[in-house]
Amino acid sequence: MIVLPTEIELATTTSSVLADTAFLMTELDADEAPAGPGWLHAAVGFQAALGGRLVLSMQKGIAIQAAADMLCTEPNDPEAGAQAAGAVLELANVLTSVVIARVFGGDAKWQFGIPERLDECPLATANQLSYSATLRNDAAQRVRVLLLLGKGANA
Amino acid sequence: MLSVLIVDDSFVMRRMVARSLLVSGVPAHETREAANGVEALSVVREVLIDIVLCDLHMPGMDGVEFVRRLGSDAHTADIPVVIVSSERSEGLLAELEDLGVRGFLRKPFQPAVLGELVRDVLGLKGAA
């Protein structure tokens, strides 16, 4: 059985993964953030009962903070800046596995791909179901998660 | 000194795993890193490795193929492998168990849990 997520469920799941993997504290942001310049994007395609794609977008500041936390260094360490995109890729990878397990169930069969960097956040087409949530940390830096399901979503 | 091979295409995750081994009190060890199965096979053929901590989804050669090839070589078949992955497919986990994988840890993980699993697989229970 497919259980489609609400915005709050998607936000809660994302917040939990960010906390457990990168020690980031975030909460649901009522404002839908347009992920434009200054954001880093990572996508993971998957195939289950429905094809799909999860896109994680993070403002560069919070992505650097995530990399610093994951590398046990400080945000002003050049390595944290250099690995910010890598941190977003890994967080997208972990988040995808958690989200698809919740959507399709723990017993379902699925496959998911290797995370890839995107230059911009994709838009849903008319054939796709789209679910998104925006989170923010206490410095008002934002994270956006977009789940696309349906035809062409994992292309 | 223990020799631990960390196999993951993510540099950030390799460092996280290495850091987790340190903070979880795994006895004196050195870590080596590989970004995929091809690199990992090269390492295990050149260096004595006590345990491999391996991701599954990697470009080049993934974790399943790496485990299969490791087990098919008499020189490396006894090296214990623990999978550290975000994979949640029960079918794939069963396949890995059949291939002789000794442990499985899902990302995200707590450092202490990784340390306990490594000590358990290496028969170092109580050693910290």
Side-chain angles (χ1 to χ4, degrees), chain A residues 31-85:
Chain A
D31 294 331
E32 180 79 2
W39 289 65
L40 299 173
H41 311 279
V44 182
F46 57 84
Q47 186 61 52
L50 288 172
R53 195 180 203 197
L54 184 137
V55 183
L56 180 67
S57 303
M58 300 178 74
Q59 282 188 300
K60 195 163 185 182
I62 193 170
I64 291 172
Q65 180 67 57
D69 290 343
M70 294 166 84
L71 295 169
C72 293
T73 185
E74 298 297 325
N76 58 5
D77 182 337
E79 191 167 43
Q83 293 300 328

Side-chain angles (χ1 to χ4, degrees), chain A residues 65-129:
Chain A
Q65 180 67 57
D69 290 343
M70 294 166 84
L71 295 169
C72 293
T73 185
E74 298 297 325
N76 58 5
D77 182 337
E79 191 167 43
Q83 293 300 328
V88 180
L89 288 169
E90 187 57 34
L91 289 167
N93 181 43
V94 176
L95 180 59
T96 300
S97 69
V98 175
V99 168
I100 62 176
R102 293 192 179 174
V103 171
F104 298 105
D107 297 333
K109 290 186 177 180
W110 63 74
Q111 291 183 314
F112 59 96
I114 293 169
E116 58 173 334
R117 276 189 75 173
L118 301 179
D119 292 331
E120 58 186 20
C121 190
L123 298 172
T125 68
N127 297 326
Q128 295 172 352
L129 299 169

Side-chain angles (χ1 to χ4, degrees), chain A residues 6-16 18 25-33 132-138 140-145:
Chain A
T6 65
E7 178 191 26
I8 290 176
E9 287 165 347
L10 198 53
T12 303
T13 301
T14 304
S15 182
S16 173
L18 293 176
M25 296 298 115
T26 54
E27 60 183 9
L28 180 64
D29 189 339
D31 294 331
E32 180 79 2
S132 67
T134 301
L135 298 98
R136 53 175 283 170
N137 65 4
D138 57 8
Q141 295 169 322
R142 289 184 167 89
V143 174
R144 186 166 182 264
V145 58

Side-chain angles (χ1 to χ4, degrees), chain B residues 23-77:
Chain B
V23 301
S24 63
V26 169
H29 64 276
E30 60 179 3
T31 55
R32 294 178 182 273
E33 297 183 10
N36 58 38
V38 175
E39 289 184 17
L41 284 174
S42 176
V43 173
V44 298
R45 285 167 182 157
E46 293 176 4
V47 183
L48 284 175
I49 295 293
D50 294 298
I51 187 168
V52 179
L53 307 178
C54 187
D55 187 21
L56 287 176
H57 300 288
M58 298 177 287
M61 184 191 293
D62 66 19
V64 177
E65 183 61 20
F66 166 70
V67 169
R68 192 173 283 124
R69 294 200 189 192
L70 196 74
S72 65
D73 184 333
H75 294 99
T76 58

